[in-house]
């Protein structure tokens, strides 16, 4: 049965909004090409969506022709404001943006290990409130949070973890209480980093890959056929607990010491750098990332240097994790993420790929992160934006 005129209009409007979400601002001509609709039909839907306050003219097409330049239409950016948080053991970063993701304000606050649970939560929530005020935003529509640790797929809450501060678990409820009209969601930090690398970073051409997080802790995120895989208990990618050779023991259910974490965490990498006499510029970035960045830069100039030998030793360690991932999932591509993955760049990635090829018959390309530690905040903002746009421009939004 053919759709009624009103149903057909609603379907066309939703398709146009979806394209503007995915592609960004478009001309009516480009909307015509992407939708396959006639020019009059596109003109009508543009008029309807503009009158409804969903889209607006955001510029003109660059190419000149007879008559005026074509108008470029985009989503109304100030229809809603969003916030994203990157929650770390040592502090919180926050960014506030408009509906299309343009940053309005951002900030960071350190939180001491001995700050106490209630003061730590208050410090983090106050940071969000100050940043929202600085951005000139009204009420927030959506808040996306990235945090380390296991997230219970049933409750959406962080599970109790020996290695993580208690205030992490209480932050979501505290934010929801202070921002009752906002939609607050929580996701594992490595999962968010992978989503960001797929959208804006090193894996834009991949719908199947694994992000191996190399930072203060270690972790992995798995994207298969375009979908993020979390596992039955939310623990997909907890590679820090992977038993590996080269450590002093085995991990336990409560402690990843003795697992891959003992080879590739920031502390382990900093110790390895010290053993090779590799030093970074002081106070420029975390010790491990700074040492890796400095070594990668110097190794390009002196392939037989101590810096090159340090990168070789580090690649030996990282390749153990990459080869394990390849054997289980055969993703074809592993991105070395986090501050350390980005710092190592192609120098480290090439070494890891070479060593993985010796251990595994499965072809695995190894790439360096393009977003580094900033991928978590970027991923949190992208998921907040997607959620807000899907809600605001869903079936009930079209006029």
């Amino acid at each position: 049965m053919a759709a009624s005129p009103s149903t057909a209009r609603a379907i066309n409007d939703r398709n146009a909004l979806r394209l503007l979400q995915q592609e960004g601002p478009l001309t009516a001509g480009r909307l015509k090409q992407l939708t396959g609709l006639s020019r009059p039909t596109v003109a009508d839907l543009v008029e309807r969506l503009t009158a409804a306050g969903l889209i607006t003219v955001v510029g003109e097409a660059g190419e000149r022709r007879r008559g005026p330049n074509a108008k470029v239409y985009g989503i109304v950016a100030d229809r809603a404001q969003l916030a994203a948080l990157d929650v770390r053991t040592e502090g919180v970063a926050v960014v506030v943006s408009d509906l299309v993701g343009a940053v309005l304000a951002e900030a960071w606050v350190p939180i001491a290990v001995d700050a106490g649970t209630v003061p730590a939560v208050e410090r983090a929530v106050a940071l969000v409130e100050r940043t929202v005020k600085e951005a000139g935003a009204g009420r927030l529509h959506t808040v996306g949070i990235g945090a380390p640790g296991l997230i219970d797929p049933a409750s959406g809450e962080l599970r109790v973890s020996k290695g993580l501060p208690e205030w992490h678990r209480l932050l979501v409820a505290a934010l929801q209480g202070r921002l009752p009209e906002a939609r607050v969601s929580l996701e594992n930090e490595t999962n968010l980093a992978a989503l960001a690398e797929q959208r804006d970073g090193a894996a834009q051409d991949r719908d199947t890959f694994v992000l191996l997080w190399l930072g203060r802790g270690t972790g992995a995120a798995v994207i298969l056929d375009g979908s993020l895989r979390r596992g039955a208990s939310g623990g997909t990618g907890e590679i820090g607990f992977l038993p590996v050779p080269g450590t002093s023991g085995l991990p336990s259910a409560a402690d990843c010491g003795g697992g891959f974490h003992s080879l590739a965490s920031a502390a382990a990498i900093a110790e390895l750098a010290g053993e090779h006499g590799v030093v970074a510029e002081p106070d420029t970035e975390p010790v491990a990332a700074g040492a890796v960045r400095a070594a990668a830069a110097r190794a390009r100039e002196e392939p037989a240097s101590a810096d090159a030998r340090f990168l070789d030793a580090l690649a030996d360690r990282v390749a153990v994790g990459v080869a394990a991932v390849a054997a289980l999932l055969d993703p074809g591509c592993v991105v070395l993420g986090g501050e350390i993955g980005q710092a190592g760049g192609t120098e480290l990635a090439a070494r890891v790929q070479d060593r993985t090829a010796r251990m595994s018959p499965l072809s695995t390309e190894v790439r360096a992160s393009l977003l580094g530690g900033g991928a978590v905040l970027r991923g949190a903002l992208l998921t907040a934006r997607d959620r807000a746009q899907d809600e605001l421009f869903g079936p009930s939004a079209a006029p």
Side-chain angles (χ1 to χ4, degrees):
M1 182 181 295
S4 67
S6 60
T7 300
R9 285 194 296 270
I11 292 171
N12 292 339
D13 291 350
R14 288 197 296 273
N15 286 340
L17 287 168
R18 178 180 54 80
L19 286 167
L20 289 167
Q21 288 175 250
Q22 296 174 348
E23 305 290 334
L26 299 168
T27 63
R30 183 63 177 149
L31 277 171
K32 175 181 177 297
Q33 293 175 347
L34 293 173
T35 61
L37 299 173
S38 68
R39 190 178 300 276
T41 300
V42 170
D44 287 343
L45 74 83
V46 165
E47 183 177 352
R48 283 194 302 274
L49 294 176
T50 301
L54 299 176
I55 68 173
T56 188
V57 176
V58 295
E60 295 183 344
E63 57 186 48
R64 290 192 170 274
R65 53 190 177 182
R66 289 185 182 180
N69 290 345
K71 295 177 180 178
V72 177
Y73 296 91
I75 289 170
V76 176
D78 61 0
R79 189 175 178 87
Q81 284 77 41
L82 321 169
L85 281 74
D86 179 2
V87 180
R88 303 287 181 102
T89 304
E90 66 275 14
V92 177
V94 62
V95 61
V96 176
S97 83
D98 62 21
L99 188 55
V100 298
V103 174
L104 305 175
E106 53 190 327
W108 154 266
V109 64
I111 297 178
V113 176
D114 58 355
T117 299
V118 174
V121 170
E122 178 56 34
R123 188 169 173 82
V125 173
L127 175 70
V128 175
E129 292 176 330
R130 287 197 306 272
T131 310
V132 170
K133 185 176 180 180
E134 180 185 338
R139 64 188 187 190
L140 292 176
H141 183 280
T142 306
V143 179
I145 303 173
L150 289 172
I151 297 174
D152 188 315
S155 67
E157 297 178 351
L158 274 171
R159 288 169 50 181
V160 176
S161 174
K162 174 184 175 183
L164 297 173
E166 177 67 12
W167 66 266
H168 283 194
R169 296 185 61 249
L170 303 180
L171 179 58
V172 173
L175 276 172
Q176 192 67 81
R178 295 272 274 272
L179 305 169
E181 296 178 337
R183 292 80 170 158
V184 180
S185 62
L186 176 69
E187 181 60 88
N188 173 268
E189 60 174 359
T190 309
N191 288 344
L192 290 176
L195 294 173
E197 292 285 358
Q198 187 179 39
R199 294 273 285 271
D200 298 333
Q204 293 181 60
D205 61 336
R206 292 280 181 168
D207 63 359
T208 293
F209 73 99
V210 169
L211 177 102
L212 180 60
W213 181 268
L214 301 173
R216 179 170 181 154
T218 55
V222 178
I223 305 286
L224 297 180
D225 299 324
S227 298
L228 175 67
R229 306 302 173 124
R230 295 180 176 85
S233 62
T236 295
E238 287 295 319
I239 198 170
F241 287 88
L242 178 73
V244 294
T247 64
S248 59
L250 291 172
S252 70
D255 187 355
C256 57
F260 182 67
H261 176 89
S262 294
L263 292 183
S265 67
I269 293 172
E271 182 178 352
L272 183 67
E275 293 171 0
H276 286 79
V278 174
V279 295
E281 294 182 18
D283 302 325
T284 55
E285 56 186 324
V287 173
V292 171
R293 189 182 305 280
R298 292 191 290 252
R300 284 191 289 270
E301 304 296 328
E302 301 178 58
S305 65
D307 297 286
R309 290 192 294 275
F310 162 62
L311 287 184
D312 288 339
L314 176 57
D316 288 340
R317 294 184 175 195
V318 176
V320 171
V322 174
V325 165
L328 288 173
L329 299 172
D330 187 20
C333 178
V334 173
V335 176
L336 303 183
E339 296 91 347
I340 294 169
Q342 184 185 44
T346 56
E347 290 292 322
L348 178 60
R351 284 170 165 82
V352 174
Q353 180 170 315
D354 178 66
R355 284 155 177 77
T356 303
R358 298 178 204 168
M359 288 188 280
S360 172
L362 305 173
S363 177
T364 306
E365 182 183 4
V366 180
R367 301 178 179 180
S369 165
L370 295 181
L371 303 177
V376 177
L377 198 58
R378 180 62 183 161
L381 184 58
L382 286 169
T383 54
R385 188 186 74 181
D386 289 349
R387 183 180 180 187
Q389 289 185 356
D390 287 346
E391 181 174 327
L392 291 170
F393 302 149
S396 62

